Amino acid sequence: NERGSDTYGAGGASAVCAWGQGSAEHFTAVGAKRVVITGNPRFDRVDPAEHKAAGQALLRGLGLGGPPLVYLSNPIDDQGFCKPAEKLGLFEAFLDEAADELVRRAIPVVVKLHPREDASAFRAIAARAPVPAVVAEQAPLFALLAHSRAAVVLASTVGLEALWFGLPLGVMPLSGPVAALAHC
């Protein structure tokens, strides 16, 4: 979505720290003067096993009998990818299109929102969904990831955390039709 002088990484910083080679290549291509690959030091301190007990307690507290698919939303509407109603429509379409598979396999959905998102709008969609869906806005992310079976993201680095926890990861297309969930 970036165009012209507002391209992320090309705003005149003396250096850009990148997570890996692909990111470094992107920032170099958009005009960053100096790019340093640092990785993500936050992951150096995260041990997924340390979050297992909290994850079990979280699922019990949410009334879930088995590991959910976690839908990790974020404010893509703030970031210019779409309008708020379109983001909510994407979530609703995902639940509708994945419903048959999720119901057949008895997989509940837990929705984890970014703090800037409208939890009440997501709860309204979850309440009328054809699958069990819970909006867990206050759930600790790592506890949730520790006991989920798969994750779906929009355009967020939280997908890297899901991968760190060993979860299969789906990325929602931000334009065009939404494909139903195939594997989790």
Side-chain angles (χ1 to χ4, degrees), residues 8-40:
Y8 188 73
S14 59
V16 173
C17 296
W19 287 6
Q21 186 61 39
S23 295
E25 290 168 7
H26 166 77
F27 288 122
T28 300
V30 300
K33 294 182 181 21
R34 181 171 174 239
V35 179
V36 179
I37 298 173
T38 60
N40 184 338

Side-chain angles (χ1 to χ4, degrees), residues 30-119:
V30 300
K33 294 182 181 21
R34 181 171 174 239
V35 179
V36 179
I37 298 173
T38 60
N40 184 338
R42 177 179 177 188
F43 290 136
D44 293 344
R45 297 183 308 271
V46 176
D47 179 2
E50 292 177 4
H51 299 278
K52 288 286 189 183
Q56 287 175 332
L58 174 62
L59 293 186
R60 278 192 307 274
L62 293 173
L64 303 177
L69 178 143
V70 62
Y71 186 96
L72 300 161
S73 187
N74 71 309
I76 60 172
D77 44 341
D78 283 8
Q79 299 164 342
F81 288 103
C82 63
K83 295 184 178 354
E86 293 169 327
K87 177 177 74 174
L88 293 170
L90 187 64
F91 172 58
E92 190 163 24
F94 171 76
L95 292 176
D96 288 345
E97 293 183 27
D100 289 345
E101 185 69 14
L102 293 170
V103 168
R104 184 182 71 73
R105 296 178 58 193
I107 300 172
V109 175
V110 172
V111 183
K112 176 69 173 147
L113 302 178
H114 185 279
R116 288 197 321 256
E117 292 186 281
D118 181 2

